[in-house]
Amino acid sequence: MKNLLVTGGAGFIGSNFTRFMLRMYPEYTVVVYDKLTYAGNLDNLKDVAEDFAGRYAFVQGDICDAGLVRATLLEHNVDTIVNFAAATHVDRSLMEPDEFIRTDVLGTYVLLEAVRELGLERYHQVSTDEVYGQVLEGRADETAPLHTRSPYSASKAGGDLLCLSYHASFDVPVTITRGSNNIGPYQYPEKVIPLFVTNAIDDLPLPLYGDGRQMRDYQYVLDHCEGLAVVLQRGRPGEIYNVGTAVETRNVDMARSILEILGKPQSLIQPVKDRPGHDRRYAIDVDKLGALGWESRHTFAEALEKTVRWYVENEWWWRPIKSGEHYQDYYKAQYAERLEGSSA
Ligand code: NAD
Ligand code: TYD
Protein backbone atom coordinates (compact mmCIF):
# COMPACT_ATOMS: atom_id res chain seq x y z
CA MET A 1 0.00 0.00 0.00
CA LYS A 2 1.81 3.12 -1.11
CA ASN A 3 0.09 4.83 -4.03
CA LEU A 4 -2.87 6.62 -2.51
CA LEU A 5 -5.82 8.29 -4.18
CA VAL A 6 -7.10 10.85 -1.68
CA THR A 7 -10.60 11.83 -2.81
CA GLY A 8 -11.78 15.15 -1.36
CA GLY A 9 -8.13 15.92 -0.63
CA ALA A 10 -8.55 19.64 -1.32
CA GLY A 11 -10.91 20.00 1.63
CA PHE A 12 -10.13 20.49 5.31
CA ILE A 13 -9.22 17.04 6.62
CA GLY A 14 -8.13 15.60 3.26
CA SER A 15 -5.51 18.32 2.76
CA ASN A 16 -4.15 17.88 6.29
CA PHE A 17 -4.04 14.11 5.70
CA THR A 18 -2.22 14.49 2.37
CA ARG A 19 0.45 16.71 3.96
CA PHE A 20 0.75 14.36 6.96
CA MET A 21 1.18 11.21 4.85
CA LEU A 22 3.74 12.75 2.48
CA ARG A 23 5.77 14.00 5.44
CA MET A 24 5.59 10.77 7.45
CA TYR A 25 6.04 8.22 4.67
CA PRO A 26 8.70 9.09 2.06
CA GLU A 27 7.83 5.96 0.06
CA TYR A 28 4.20 7.02 -0.50
CA THR A 29 2.74 8.94 -3.42
CA VAL A 30 -0.55 10.81 -3.21
CA VAL A 31 -2.95 11.77 -5.97
CA VAL A 32 -5.59 14.18 -4.75
CA TYR A 33 -8.86 13.75 -6.68
CA ASP A 34 -11.31 16.55 -5.92
CA LYS A 35 -14.23 18.26 -7.63
CA LEU A 36 -13.32 21.61 -6.05
CA THR A 37 -16.77 22.48 -4.76
CA TYR A 38 -17.08 25.65 -2.65
CA ALA A 39 -15.34 23.69 0.15
CA GLY A 40 -12.42 22.49 -1.98
CA ASN A 41 -9.54 24.91 -2.24
CA LEU A 42 -6.11 24.48 -3.83
CA ASP A 43 -4.75 27.05 -1.35
CA ASN A 44 -5.05 24.21 1.21
CA LEU A 45 -2.40 22.28 -0.76
CA LYS A 46 -0.16 25.11 -1.99
CA ASP A 47 2.81 24.12 0.20
CA VAL A 48 2.25 20.43 -0.56
CA ALA A 49 2.48 21.01 -4.31
CA GLU A 50 5.79 22.85 -3.75
CA ASP A 51 7.33 20.58 -1.09
CA PHE A 52 6.42 17.20 -2.58
CA ALA A 53 6.32 17.90 -6.31
CA GLY A 54 7.64 14.45 -7.32
CA ARG A 55 5.25 12.44 -5.12
CA TYR A 56 2.06 14.49 -5.38
CA ALA A 57 -0.42 15.05 -8.20
CA PHE A 58 -3.80 16.73 -8.45
CA VAL A 59 -6.75 15.69 -10.60
CA GLN A 60 -9.93 17.74 -10.71
CA GLY A 61 -12.90 15.38 -10.85
CA ASP A 62 -16.17 14.20 -9.38
CA ILE A 63 -16.26 10.89 -7.50
CA CYS A 64 -19.58 10.19 -9.26
CA ASP A 65 -17.74 10.19 -12.63
CA ALA A 66 -16.96 6.46 -12.97
CA GLY A 67 -14.93 6.88 -16.18
CA LEU A 68 -12.58 9.52 -14.78
CA VAL A 69 -12.20 7.67 -11.49
CA ARG A 70 -11.16 4.48 -13.30
CA ALA A 71 -8.79 6.30 -15.70
CA THR A 72 -7.12 8.13 -12.78
CA LEU A 73 -6.64 4.92 -10.79
CA LEU A 74 -5.00 3.22 -13.78
CA GLU A 75 -2.88 6.18 -14.87
CA HIS A 76 -1.38 6.64 -11.40
CA ASN A 77 -1.12 2.97 -10.50
CA VAL A 78 -3.21 3.56 -7.37
CA ASP A 79 -3.42 0.70 -4.86
CA THR A 80 -5.45 2.41 -2.09
CA ILE A 81 -8.33 4.90 -1.99
CA VAL A 82 -8.92 7.06 1.08
CA ASN A 83 -12.30 8.71 0.58
CA PHE A 84 -12.84 12.11 2.18
CA ALA A 85 -15.02 13.48 -0.63
CA ALA A 86 -18.41 14.44 0.71
CA ALA A 87 -20.87 17.23 1.19
CA THR A 88 -20.21 17.87 4.88
CA HIS A 89 -22.14 20.68 6.53
CA VAL A 90 -25.29 19.77 8.49
CA ASP A 91 -26.94 23.18 8.04
CA ARG A 92 -26.49 23.00 4.26
CA SER A 93 -27.92 19.46 4.25
CA LEU A 94 -31.10 20.96 5.69
CA MET A 95 -31.25 23.49 2.83
CA GLU A 96 -30.19 21.29 -0.12
CA PRO A 97 -30.04 17.57 0.69
CA ASP A 98 -29.66 16.37 -2.92
CA GLU A 99 -25.91 17.00 -3.16
CA PHE A 100 -25.39 15.02 0.06
CA ILE A 101 -27.21 11.98 -1.27
CA ARG A 102 -25.44 12.24 -4.63
CA THR A 103 -21.86 12.54 -3.38
CA ASP A 104 -21.99 10.73 -0.03
CA VAL A 105 -24.04 7.73 -1.21
CA LEU A 106 -23.80 7.49 -5.02
CA GLY A 107 -20.17 8.69 -5.04
CA THR A 108 -19.20 6.05 -2.47
CA TYR A 109 -20.85 3.39 -4.63
CA VAL A 110 -18.90 4.55 -7.72
CA LEU A 111 -15.60 4.32 -5.82
CA LEU A 112 -16.44 0.89 -4.38
CA GLU A 113 -17.26 -0.43 -7.86
CA ALA A 114 -13.89 0.80 -9.15
CA VAL A 115 -12.05 -0.85 -6.23
CA ARG A 116 -13.90 -4.09 -6.89
CA GLU A 117 -13.28 -4.05 -10.63
CA LEU A 118 -9.58 -3.18 -10.41
CA GLY A 119 -8.87 -5.30 -7.32
CA LEU A 120 -7.23 -2.52 -5.29
CA GLU A 121 -5.53 -3.35 -1.98
CA ARG A 122 -7.73 -1.16 0.23
CA TYR A 123 -10.67 1.22 0.24
CA HIS A 124 -10.90 3.41 3.31
CA GLN A 125 -14.08 5.35 4.07
CA VAL A 126 -13.69 8.46 6.24
CA SER A 127 -16.95 8.58 8.14
CA THR A 128 -18.33 10.38 11.16
CA ASP A 129 -19.58 9.78 14.69
CA GLU A 130 -22.77 11.56 13.56
CA VAL A 131 -24.05 8.27 12.08
CA TYR A 132 -24.81 7.08 15.64
CA GLY A 133 -27.13 10.06 16.09
CA GLN A 134 -27.35 11.80 19.42
CA VAL A 135 -25.94 9.79 22.32
CA LEU A 136 -27.64 11.21 25.39
CA GLU A 137 -25.90 8.92 27.88
CA GLY A 138 -22.77 6.78 27.81
CA ARG A 139 -20.84 6.47 24.57
CA ALA A 140 -21.31 4.72 21.24
CA ASP A 141 -18.89 1.96 20.34
CA GLU A 142 -18.61 0.59 16.80
CA THR A 143 -21.51 -1.85 17.34
CA ALA A 144 -24.00 0.87 18.35
CA PRO A 145 -27.10 1.22 16.15
CA LEU A 146 -27.34 4.08 13.65
CA HIS A 147 -29.95 6.71 14.51
CA THR A 148 -29.32 9.47 11.99
CA ARG A 149 -31.40 12.64 12.21
CA SER A 150 -29.98 14.97 9.51
CA PRO A 151 -29.70 14.42 5.73
CA TYR A 152 -25.92 14.72 6.20
CA SER A 153 -25.62 11.97 8.78
CA ALA A 154 -28.15 9.79 6.93
CA SER A 155 -26.14 10.10 3.71
CA LYS A 156 -22.90 9.25 5.51
CA ALA A 157 -24.58 6.23 7.11
CA GLY A 158 -25.72 5.14 3.64
CA GLY A 159 -22.11 5.31 2.46
CA ASP A 160 -20.93 3.27 5.45
CA LEU A 161 -23.54 0.57 4.86
CA LEU A 162 -22.59 0.28 1.19
CA CYS A 163 -18.94 -0.19 2.23
CA LEU A 164 -19.85 -2.97 4.64
CA SER A 165 -22.04 -4.62 1.98
CA TYR A 166 -19.16 -4.60 -0.54
CA HIS A 167 -16.97 -6.29 2.03
CA ALA A 168 -19.55 -8.94 2.88
CA SER A 169 -20.78 -9.60 -0.66
CA PHE A 170 -17.70 -9.11 -2.81
CA ASP A 171 -14.81 -9.35 -0.36
CA VAL A 172 -13.72 -5.78 -1.14
CA PRO A 173 -11.05 -4.84 1.46
CA VAL A 174 -12.85 -1.97 3.12
CA THR A 175 -12.13 -0.17 6.38
CA ILE A 176 -14.20 2.60 7.95
CA THR A 177 -13.32 5.23 10.54
CA ARG A 178 -15.93 7.29 12.36
CA GLY A 179 -14.28 10.47 13.55
CA SER A 180 -15.60 13.07 15.96
CA ASN A 181 -15.60 16.82 15.13
CA ASN A 182 -12.20 17.89 13.78
CA ILE A 183 -10.62 21.31 14.34
CA GLY A 184 -7.44 22.84 12.97
CA PRO A 185 -5.96 24.65 9.95
CA TYR A 186 -7.88 25.03 6.65
CA GLN A 187 -11.38 24.31 7.98
CA TYR A 188 -14.01 26.12 5.90
CA PRO A 189 -15.47 28.87 8.11
CA GLU A 190 -19.04 27.56 8.00
CA LYS A 191 -18.16 25.00 10.69
CA VAL A 192 -18.56 26.32 14.18
CA ILE A 193 -14.98 26.76 15.38
CA PRO A 194 -13.50 28.61 12.38
CA LEU A 195 -16.77 30.57 12.14
CA PHE A 196 -16.61 31.67 15.77
CA VAL A 197 -12.85 32.38 15.71
CA THR A 198 -12.93 34.49 12.55
CA ASN A 199 -16.12 36.33 13.66
CA ALA A 200 -14.51 37.07 17.02
CA ILE A 201 -11.36 38.43 15.35
CA ASP A 202 -13.63 40.91 13.53
CA ASP A 203 -15.77 41.67 16.64
CA LEU A 204 -18.82 40.07 15.01
CA PRO A 205 -21.39 38.08 17.01
CA LEU A 206 -20.94 34.34 17.65
CA PRO A 207 -24.35 32.83 16.76
CA LEU A 208 -24.84 30.10 19.37
CA TYR A 209 -27.70 27.74 18.49
CA GLY A 210 -30.37 27.10 21.10
CA ASP A 211 -29.27 26.87 24.71
CA GLY A 212 -25.62 26.16 23.77
CA ARG A 213 -25.53 23.03 25.93
CA GLN A 214 -25.06 20.64 23.02
CA MET A 215 -21.88 18.64 23.35
CA ARG A 216 -19.27 17.66 20.80
CA ASP A 217 -15.96 15.78 21.02
CA TYR A 218 -13.63 18.28 19.30
CA GLN A 219 -10.36 16.63 18.22
CA TYR A 220 -7.25 18.08 16.58
CA VAL A 221 -7.24 17.24 12.88
CA LEU A 222 -3.71 15.75 12.91
CA ASP A 223 -4.68 13.33 15.69
CA HIS A 224 -7.47 12.14 13.42
CA CYS A 225 -5.02 11.84 10.49
CA GLU A 226 -2.69 9.74 12.62
CA GLY A 227 -5.63 7.48 13.48
CA LEU A 228 -6.40 7.07 9.79
CA ALA A 229 -2.78 6.07 9.08
CA VAL A 230 -2.92 3.47 11.87
CA VAL A 231 -6.12 1.97 10.44
CA LEU A 232 -4.63 1.88 6.93
CA GLN A 233 -1.62 -0.01 8.24
CA ARG A 234 -3.02 -2.14 11.05
CA GLY A 235 -6.80 -2.07 10.67
CA ARG A 236 -8.67 -5.20 9.62
CA PRO A 237 -10.78 -5.18 6.44
CA GLY A 238 -14.49 -5.18 7.21
CA GLU A 239 -13.95 -3.33 10.49
CA ILE A 240 -15.07 0.07 11.78
CA TYR A 241 -12.92 2.21 14.11
CA ASN A 242 -14.07 5.28 16.07
CA VAL A 243 -11.57 8.17 16.27
CA GLY A 244 -11.82 10.97 18.84
CA THR A 245 -10.73 12.16 22.27
CA ALA A 246 -13.68 10.66 24.20
CA VAL A 247 -14.04 13.99 26.01
CA GLU A 248 -17.02 16.23 25.20
CA THR A 249 -17.31 20.00 25.51
CA ARG A 250 -20.49 22.13 25.63
CA ASN A 251 -20.77 24.64 22.77
CA VAL A 252 -21.19 27.53 25.17
CA ASP A 253 -17.94 26.61 26.92
CA MET A 254 -16.18 26.26 23.55
CA ALA A 255 -17.39 29.76 22.58
CA ARG A 256 -16.26 31.22 25.92
CA SER A 257 -12.81 29.64 25.52
CA ILE A 258 -12.36 31.13 22.04
CA LEU A 259 -13.17 34.62 23.33
CA GLU A 260 -10.86 34.15 26.29
CA ILE A 261 -7.93 33.10 24.07
CA LEU A 262 -8.52 36.09 21.78
CA GLY A 263 -9.09 38.54 24.65
CA LYS A 264 -12.54 39.47 23.31
CA PRO A 265 -15.66 40.23 25.37
CA GLN A 266 -18.04 37.39 26.26
CA SER A 267 -20.88 39.66 25.11
CA LEU A 268 -20.06 38.63 21.52
CA ILE A 269 -21.91 35.36 22.19
CA GLN A 270 -25.40 35.72 20.75
CA PRO A 271 -27.94 32.96 21.38
CA VAL A 272 -29.99 32.39 18.22
CA LYS A 273 -32.78 30.10 17.00
CA ASP A 274 -31.72 26.47 17.14
CA ARG A 275 -30.87 24.20 14.22
CA PRO A 276 -33.82 21.87 13.46
CA GLY A 277 -33.16 18.30 14.62
CA HIS A 278 -30.02 19.49 16.43
CA ASP A 279 -28.27 16.47 17.93
CA ARG A 280 -27.76 17.14 21.62
CA ARG A 281 -24.60 15.14 22.21
CA TYR A 282 -22.13 13.00 20.32
CA ALA A 283 -19.93 10.69 22.36
CA ILE A 284 -17.85 7.77 21.19
CA ASP A 285 -15.82 4.98 22.70
CA VAL A 286 -12.34 4.90 21.11
CA ASP A 287 -10.89 1.79 22.79
CA LYS A 288 -10.90 -0.29 19.59
CA LEU A 289 -8.48 2.06 17.85
CA GLY A 290 -6.57 2.42 21.11
CA ALA A 291 -5.95 -1.34 20.98
CA LEU A 292 -4.09 -0.79 17.68
CA GLY A 293 -1.66 1.51 19.50
CA TRP A 294 -3.21 4.91 18.68
CA GLU A 295 -4.00 7.66 21.14
CA SER A 296 -5.17 11.23 20.81
CA ARG A 297 -2.27 13.64 21.49
CA HIS A 298 -4.12 16.94 22.05
CA THR A 299 -6.60 17.87 24.74
CA PHE A 300 -9.43 20.15 23.64
CA ALA A 301 -7.69 23.14 25.23
CA GLU A 302 -4.43 22.44 23.35
CA ALA A 303 -6.21 21.81 20.06
CA LEU A 304 -8.25 25.00 20.41
CA GLU A 305 -5.23 27.13 21.30
CA LYS A 306 -3.30 25.90 18.22
CA THR A 307 -6.35 26.32 16.00
CA VAL A 308 -7.10 29.87 17.12
CA ARG A 309 -3.46 30.83 16.62
CA TRP A 310 -3.53 29.45 13.07
CA TYR A 311 -6.54 31.57 12.08
CA VAL A 312 -4.97 34.64 13.68
CA GLU A 313 -1.77 34.08 11.67
CA ASN A 314 -3.40 33.04 8.38
CA GLU A 315 -5.88 35.74 7.43
CA TRP A 316 -4.59 35.37 3.82
CA TRP A 317 -6.42 32.03 3.78
CA TRP A 318 -9.84 32.83 5.26
CA ARG A 319 -10.49 36.49 4.37
CA PRO A 320 -10.95 35.82 0.63
CA ILE A 321 -13.35 32.97 1.46
CA LYS A 322 -15.45 35.02 3.86
CA SER A 323 -15.64 38.03 1.56
CA GLY A 324 -16.59 35.86 -1.46
CA GLU A 325 -20.10 35.87 -2.88
CA HIS A 326 -20.74 32.18 -2.18
CA TYR A 327 -19.96 32.55 1.51
CA GLN A 328 -21.85 35.82 1.85
CA ASP A 329 -25.00 34.31 0.30
CA TYR A 330 -24.82 31.32 2.61
CA TYR A 331 -24.18 33.48 5.68
CA LYS A 332 -27.21 35.64 4.91
CA ALA A 333 -29.47 32.63 4.33
CA GLN A 334 -28.34 30.91 7.52
CA TYR A 335 -27.88 33.83 9.92
CA ALA A 336 -29.50 37.11 8.80
CA GLU A 337 -32.87 36.35 10.39
CA ARG A 338 -31.33 34.57 13.34
CA LEU A 339 -29.11 37.51 14.19
CA GLU A 340 -31.85 40.13 13.78
CA GLY A 341 -32.21 40.60 17.48
CA SER A 342 -33.52 37.04 17.87
CA SER A 343 -32.70 35.08 20.95
CA ALA A 344 -33.06 31.37 21.67
P1 NAD B 1 -14.75 19.57 3.51
O1 NAD B 1 -16.15 20.01 3.22
O2 NAD B 1 -13.77 20.55 4.04
O3 NAD B 1 -14.10 18.92 2.20
C1 NAD B 1 -14.81 18.08 1.33
C2 NAD B 1 -14.00 17.98 0.03
O4 NAD B 1 -14.67 17.06 -0.85
C3 NAD B 1 -13.88 19.30 -0.72
O5 NAD B 1 -12.55 19.50 -1.14
C4 NAD B 1 -14.81 19.13 -1.92
O6 NAD B 1 -14.39 19.86 -3.06
C5 NAD B 1 -14.72 17.63 -2.15
N1 NAD B 1 -15.90 17.09 -2.83
C6 NAD B 1 -17.20 17.30 -2.52
N2 NAD B 1 -18.00 16.64 -3.38
C7 NAD B 1 -17.17 15.99 -4.25
C8 NAD B 1 -17.40 15.12 -5.34
N3 NAD B 1 -18.64 14.81 -5.74
N4 NAD B 1 -16.32 14.62 -5.98
C9 NAD B 1 -15.06 14.93 -5.60
N5 NAD B 1 -14.79 15.75 -4.58
C10 NAD B 1 -15.84 16.28 -3.89
O7 NAD B 1 -14.92 18.33 4.48
P2 NAD B 1 -14.01 17.82 5.70
O8 NAD B 1 -14.46 18.48 6.94
O9 NAD B 1 -12.59 17.84 5.31
O10 NAD B 1 -14.50 16.30 5.78
C11 NAD B 1 -13.86 15.30 5.00
C12 NAD B 1 -14.50 13.95 5.29
O11 NAD B 1 -14.41 13.64 6.67
C13 NAD B 1 -15.99 13.90 4.96
O12 NAD B 1 -16.27 12.64 4.40
C14 NAD B 1 -16.68 14.04 6.30
O13 NAD B 1 -17.93 13.41 6.32
C15 NAD B 1 -15.67 13.35 7.21
N6 NAD B 1 -15.65 13.83 8.60
C16 NAD B 1 -15.55 15.17 8.87
C17 NAD B 1 -15.47 15.59 10.19
C18 NAD B 1 -15.30 17.06 10.54
O14 NAD B 1 -15.35 17.41 11.73
N7 NAD B 1 -15.07 17.94 9.61
C19 NAD B 1 -15.53 14.67 11.24
C20 NAD B 1 -15.64 13.29 10.91
C21 NAD B 1 -15.70 12.89 9.59
P1 TYD C 1 -20.79 22.09 13.28
O1 TYD C 1 -19.43 22.68 13.24
O2 TYD C 1 -21.77 22.45 12.22
O3 TYD C 1 -20.60 20.52 13.38
P2 TYD C 1 -21.71 19.34 13.60
O4 TYD C 1 -21.57 18.54 12.37
O5 TYD C 1 -21.28 18.64 14.85
O6 TYD C 1 -23.06 19.92 13.73
O7 TYD C 1 -21.45 22.46 14.67
C1 TYD C 1 -20.86 22.06 15.90
C2 TYD C 1 -21.79 22.43 17.02
O8 TYD C 1 -21.91 23.87 17.06
C3 TYD C 1 -23.20 21.92 16.83
O9 TYD C 1 -23.74 21.55 18.11
C4 TYD C 1 -23.97 23.10 16.28
C5 TYD C 1 -23.28 24.28 16.92
N1 TYD C 1 -23.27 25.52 16.10
C6 TYD C 1 -23.70 26.73 16.66
O10 TYD C 1 -24.07 26.81 17.84
N2 TYD C 1 -23.68 27.85 15.88
C7 TYD C 1 -23.28 27.82 14.58
O11 TYD C 1 -23.31 28.89 13.91
C8 TYD C 1 -22.84 26.58 14.01
C9 TYD C 1 -22.37 26.49 12.59
C10 TYD C 1 -22.86 25.45 14.82
Side-chain angles (χ1 to χ4, degrees), residues 134 149 209-210 214 216 251 274-282:
Q134 53 184 2
R149 287 154 39 92
Y209 294 161
Q214 303 81 14
R216 295 291 183 268
N251 288 333
D274 208 350
R275 166 191 284 173
H278 192 170
D279 286 335
R280 199 79 190 147
R281 175 175 179 265
Y282 297 135

Side-chain angles (χ1 to χ4, degrees), residues 62-342:
D62 189 328
I63 59 166
C64 299
D65 180 345
L68 187 58
V69 165
R70 192 177 184 283
T72 306
L73 293 171
L74 290 173
E75 185 187 340
H76 294 274
N77 203 19
V78 168
D79 49 48
T80 302
I81 296 180
V82 185
N83 179 32
F84 294 88
T88 61
H89 190 42
V90 173
D91 291 313
R92 283 187 199 258
S93 82
L94 301 171
M95 295 172 177
E96 291 175 349
D98 50 343
E99 191 47 40
F100 290 73
I101 296 157
R102 204 185 75 86
T103 290
D104 305 12
V105 183
L106 180 67
T108 299
Y109 152 75
V110 168
L111 296 175
L112 286 165
E113 273 295 313
V115 174
R116 176 189 176 198
E117 184 198 337
L118 299 178
L120 302 194
E121 279 178 46
R122 180 71 69 85
Y123 175 85
H124 183 76
Q125 178 79 344
V126 181
S127 188
T128 165
D129 64 354
E130 302 196 22
V131 298
Y132 300 120
Q134 53 184 2
V135 179
L136 299 177
E137 275 171 25
R139 29 195 82 253
D141 69 14
E142 292 79 355
T143 64
L146 309 184
H147 284 302
T148 56
R149 287 154 39 92
S150 75
Y152 165 64
S153 55
S155 304
K156 291 296 293 185
D160 285 16
L161 294 176
L162 277 172
C163 291
L164 295 173
S165 78
Y166 269 64
H167 175 72
S169 303
F170 308 120
D171 217 14
V172 170
V174 161
T175 44
I176 298 174
T177 43
R178 293 182 175 152
S180 66
N181 291 54
N182 283 222
I183 64 173
Y186 304 107
Q187 186 169 28
Y188 193 86
E190 64 190 353
K191 303 285 168 26
V192 74
I193 289 201
L195 172 71
F196 280 12
V197 172
T198 56
N199 274 16
I201 290 172
D202 284 343
D203 300 305
L204 294 170
L206 276 46
L208 186 68
Y209 294 161
D211 64 6
R213 288 162 191 250
Q214 303 81 14
M215 301 182 92
R216 295 291 183 268
D217 170 353
Y218 295 102
Q219 66 174 322
Y220 196 59
V221 62
L222 289 179
D223 290 340
H224 183 205
C225 292
E226 222 175 307
L228 296 178
V230 168
V231 171
L232 281 178
Q233 285 158 357
R234 302 204 282 280
R236 277 207 3 236
E239 295 291 322
I240 301 166
Y241 299 88
N242 289 341
V243 193
T245 68
V247 176
E248 299 80 38
T249 304
R250 292 190 316 174
N251 288 333
V252 63
D253 297 325
M254 169 270 289
R256 284 179 186 145
S257 303
I258 288 172
L259 294 169
E260 212 164 284
I261 294 170
L262 287 168
K264 298 284 184 175
Q266 298 290 327
S267 56
L268 284 178
I269 296 175
Q270 185 165 337
V272 298
K273 190 168 141 243
D274 208 350
R275 166 191 284 173
H278 192 170
D279 286 335
R280 199 79 190 147
R281 175 175 179 265
Y282 297 135
I284 47 175
D285 181 306
V286 297
D287 289 352
K288 188 170 171 184
L289 185 54
L292 294 187
W294 172 89
E295 64 180 347
S296 177
R297 293 179 192 271
H298 296 79
T299 63
F300 172 64
E302 291 161 351
L304 188 66
E305 183 88 39
K306 270 195 183 178
T307 301
V308 171
R309 201 182 326 133
W310 191 84
Y311 288 90
V312 167
E313 290 170 359
N314 289 280
E315 294 195 4
W316 71 272
W317 183 80
W318 57 267
R319 285 217 181 271
I321 295 174
K322 287 193 86 170
S323 59
E325 197 180 340
H326 188 91
Y327 186 87
Q328 291 287 324
D329 287 349
Y330 166 75
Y331 197 82
K332 256 184 231 126
Q334 182 64 18
Y335 296 107
E337 221 174 274
R338 280 190 162 88
L339 286 169
E340 256 171 32
S342 82

